[in-house]
Every structure is written in structure tokens, then in C-alpha cells.
Amino acid sequence: MEPPVRSLIALLLLVSCQIFASAPAFASSDDAWAEFHQEVEDTCRALVQGNVDTVDVNVVPFGSESYGAAVVTVTANWGSERSICIFDKASSKAELTGPLAE
């Protein structure tokens, strides 16, 4: 193969790799999003401590690129309070903020 042809092939391969690397990712399936939603809900619910009557976890449908998020509302005999649960998609660990100001 002639050197200019090899150079052209190398250039085309490099350009095509750059195009595919910068292309947006395809959307996940509905099942994958449902599984993600359930994982965020379960992980955030497990963080609630203390004697509470109900725990409502309202998951943000898709989160951000790196994090899932949910609003966690707990109700007990003393009233109710809301917190934010932040779920790390990479580690599957979550943290719960303190109560939101009303």
C-alpha cells in the first residue's frame, strides 16, 4: 500500500473515531429507567432513620448525568419534613440532606 493511501486511511479512522466518540448516547430502555428509579427509591428510603409513620420518596425521573435525586418526605406524630436524597450513579451510594426549610 502506498504511503499516501495509508495516511489517508489513518486520517479517516481518526475522524470516524472522533465522530463516534462525540455522538450522544442512545436513550436507555424503559426497563432500565424503571430499575434505576426503583434503586434510587429503595436506597433513599433506607436512609430514613427514627420513628416515622410514613416515608414518601419522589424520585426525579432521570436525575442528572452523574446523580439520581429524590425528595423524601417523612411523616410522624410530630409533623412532616422534606429532605433531598442524592444518589451517586457510579457508586450506588446515597446521602440525605437535612430537612428543607418550610
Side-chain angles (χ1 to χ4, degrees):
M1 193 179 301
E2 298 293 321
V5 174
R6 277 188 276 183
S7 296
L8 180 59
I9 291 172
L11 179 62
L12 289 173
L13 286 171
L14 180 63
V15 169
S16 64
C17 288
Q18 290 295 322
I19 290 170
F20 288 119
S22 64
F26 292 103
S28 295
S29 69
D30 289 343
D31 289 343
W33 282 119
E35 184 178 318
F36 167 72
H37 185 277
Q38 191 63 54
E39 183 179 14
V40 172
E41 181 176 342
D42 293 345
T43 304
C44 291
R45 186 179 302 278
L47 294 174
V48 175
Q49 298 178 0
N51 188 15
V52 297
D53 297 327
T54 62
V55 178
D56 179 50
V57 180
N58 186 2
V59 178
V60 175
F62 306 108
S64 70
E65 185 173 330
S66 301
Y67 299 97
V71 176
V72 178
T73 305
V74 297
T75 305
N77 60 357
W78 42 262
S80 67
E81 62 186 21
R82 293 179 302 149
S83 299
I84 303 296
C85 179
I86 305 299
F87 176 89
D88 186 321
K89 290 179 177 180
S91 70
S92 295
K93 293 182 181 178
E95 294 182 13
L96 195 60
T97 68
L100 296 170
E102 292 295 324

